[in-house]
């Protein structure tokens, strides 16, 4: 009956913690039901509007107006590194339908932001910097050592 919207409000929510089981259940689940990996606060039949403010790779901002607590589903892959905030505060998230991103949004007018932060970057950056400094230090040490040895090589006794 047509493609899903890229982002929408979950109408009915059921919890299915196992991703594989959620994917298997999708074939027998109606379009109005969203399978979440964990329970998120929501109200059935809440009225809501969603409007994209920024939609770029790695960064999505939505203006959300809701009459009650809702679950917003973004049909992009949920992978490690995605973080959600509502009005600048960390928000409760879940995996929707075994693949997608879902977040709880309270009643009222809010700004929902999804941003991607590369996992391991906070550790990998400094480790790479230390490795570079060590490599440069060894390079300089070997160059200086090579210059210190006479061109004829070490003297034979």
């Amino acid at each position: 009956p047509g493609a899903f919207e890229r982002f929408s409000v979950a109408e009915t929510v059921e919890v299915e913690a196992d991703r594989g089981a959620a994917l298997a259940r999708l074939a027998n689940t109606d379009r109005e039901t969203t399978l979440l990996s964990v329970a998120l606060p929501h109200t059935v039949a809440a009225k809501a509007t969603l409007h994209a403010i920024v939609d770029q790779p790695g960064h999505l901002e939505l203006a959300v107006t809701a009459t009650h607590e809702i679950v917003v589903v973004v049909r992009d892959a949920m992978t490690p590194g995605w973080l959600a905030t509502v009005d600048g505060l960390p928000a409760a998230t879940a995996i929707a339908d075994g693949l997608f991103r879902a977040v709880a949004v309270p009643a009222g007018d809010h700004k929902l932001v999804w941003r991607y932060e590369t996992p391991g970057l906070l550790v990998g950056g400094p480790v790479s910097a230390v490795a570079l400094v060590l490599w440069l230090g060894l390079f300089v040490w070997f160059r200086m050592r090579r210059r210190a040895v006479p061109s004829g090589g070490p003297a034979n006794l």
Side-chain angles (χ1 to χ4, degrees), residues 10-48:
E11 293 179 34
T12 305
V13 171
E14 292 180 20
V15 175
E16 180 57 71
D18 182 74
R19 284 181 108 163
L23 290 169
R25 283 185 58 191
L26 284 179
N28 299 319
T29 304
D30 60 74
R31 285 178 62 98
E32 291 78 31
T33 301
T34 301
L35 303 174
L36 296 179
S37 59
V38 297
L40 293 178
H42 71 286
T43 303
V44 176
K47 303 271 190 249

Side-chain angles (χ1 to χ4, degrees), residues 16-157:
E16 180 57 71
D18 182 74
R19 284 181 108 163
L23 290 169
R25 283 185 58 191
L26 284 179
N28 299 319
T29 304
D30 60 74
R31 285 178 62 98
E32 291 78 31
T33 301
T34 301
L35 303 174
L36 296 179
S37 59
V38 297
L40 293 178
H42 71 286
T43 303
V44 176
K47 303 271 190 249
T49 59
L50 307 173
H51 174 73
I53 301 168
V54 176
D55 189 358
Q56 299 173 341
H59 188 89
L60 175 66
E61 292 182 22
L62 299 175
V64 179
T65 301
T67 58
H68 298 85
E69 287 182 314
I70 59 171
V71 172
V72 174
V73 178
V74 177
R75 286 181 179 79
D76 291 338
M78 175 61 128
T79 56
W82 280 108
L83 302 172
T85 59
V86 174
D87 299 330
L89 301 173
T93 63
I95 298 170
D97 296 333
L99 296 172
F100 307 120
R101 304 188 313 239
V103 62
V105 178
D109 296 328
H110 300 284
K111 181 178 177 183
L112 166 62
V113 176
W114 279 99
R115 74 178 188 287
Y116 184 78
E117 292 184 1
T118 305
L121 188 60
L122 292 176
V123 173
V127 168
S128 296
V130 168
L132 178 63
V133 168
L134 288 174
W135 184 85
L136 288 173
L138 285 172
F139 177 77
V140 169
W141 182 73
F142 278 116
R143 297 271 304 196
M144 291 177 68
R145 186 169 175 242
R146 188 172 183 208
R147 287 185 185 167
V149 175
S151 61
N156 291 330
L157 296 177

